[in-house]
Structure formats: structure tokens, C-alpha cells
Amino acid sequence: METELSEFEQQMRREINAFMDNEQETRRKAATSPPEWPADEAPAPKATRSKPSGAPKTGHLVKLAVRTKPLELDSVFEHISSSISKVEAQLEAEKAARKAGYPIIGYVVETRRL
């Protein structure tokens, strides 16, 4: 039993010493050798855009319920605003709807960020 224990201890000491020697070698190499930088290659390809290239990058899509006559059914008017403010985008959409010939603006159907 004692021989097995002493053999185990000797084996463990050998493994610990080998590990420590290896660790010291890697430290020395790291201290003396210059860092390895990745080689400059062609730039990475750009990710594909989810929007067409002509589309605004920021803003809101505002949908309004509009009418030309008081007793007419509501129709949906869409306006794309480049404003990051939701309220400002709604005001721009209302102005655009009036300019397009819809004097009666019922309510905002939807406001979605682009």
C-alpha cells in the first residue's frame, strides 16, 4: 500500500513539475517574442441590408385614417417620415395628407419605426 502511495506521489510531482516548467517556458516566449497580429486581408464583406438602398435609415412609417367627405368611409394614408420623433412624424403625416387632398383626418392607425 505504501509503495503505491509513494509511486502516486512521485508521479504527481513529476506531472506538477512538467506543468510548471511548461508554464515558465510559455511566459518566457511571450515576454521575448513580439505579438502575432493577424495579417491584413481583404475587408470583410458587408452585411446585406434589410431595406432597399434608397430607403431612409431612420424615421417612422405613419398610417392615418383620412376622408375627403364627412360621411365617407375611412381610407388609409401612409407617410414615411425621416424624423426620429413620433409626434413630429405624425404632424408631418397630417400635413402631407392635407396637401394630398384629404381635409378630414380621423385618427392615427399605426406608427412604426423604420
Side-chain angles (χ1 to χ4, degrees), residues 7 9-19:
E7 286 177 15
E9 287 177 350
Q10 289 174 356
Q11 179 66 28
M12 292 307 291
R13 281 193 186 115
R14 276 186 247 133
E15 289 180 12
I16 290 172
N17 289 337
F19 176 76

Side-chain angles (χ1 to χ4, degrees), residues 24-40:
Q24 288 175 355
E25 258 183 64
T26 56
R27 283 186 191 162
R28 248 185 271 124
K29 284 181 184 176
T32 58
S33 64
E36 296 177 16
W37 299 102
D40 289 336

Side-chain angles (χ1 to χ4, degrees), residues 37-59:
W37 299 102
D40 289 336
E41 296 177 7
K46 291 185 177 181
T48 57
R49 289 184 56 140
S50 61
K51 301 177 202 169
S53 62
K57 295 178 183 176
T58 60

Side-chain angles (χ1 to χ4, degrees), residues 12-112:
M12 292 307 291
R13 281 193 186 115
R14 276 186 247 133
E15 289 180 12
I16 290 172
N17 289 337
F19 176 76
M20 295 301 283
D21 291 341
N22 187 17
E23 187 176 283
Q24 288 175 355
E25 258 183 64
T26 56
R27 283 186 191 162
R28 248 185 271 124
K29 284 181 184 176
T32 58
S33 64
E36 296 177 16
W37 299 102
D40 289 336
E41 296 177 7
K46 291 185 177 181
T48 57
R49 289 184 56 140
S50 61
K51 301 177 202 169
S53 62
K57 295 178 183 176
T58 60
H60 288 84
L61 171 67
V62 181
K63 294 183 182 180
L64 301 172
V66 294
R67 291 178 261 164
T68 54
K69 298 177 186 172
L71 296 176
E72 186 179 358
L73 291 174
D74 290 340
S75 57
V76 177
F77 177 81
E78 293 184 359
H79 177 72
I80 296 175
S81 172
S82 61
S83 173
I84 60 173
S85 168
K86 189 175 180 180
V87 174
E88 191 174 315
Q90 289 176 1
L91 290 173
E92 283 181 21
E94 289 176 6
K95 286 180 185 176
R98 285 191 185 96
K99 190 175 181 181
Y102 295 102
I104 301 170
I105 298 169
Y107 52 91
V108 177
V109 176
E110 178 186 10
T111 303
R112 188 181 63 182

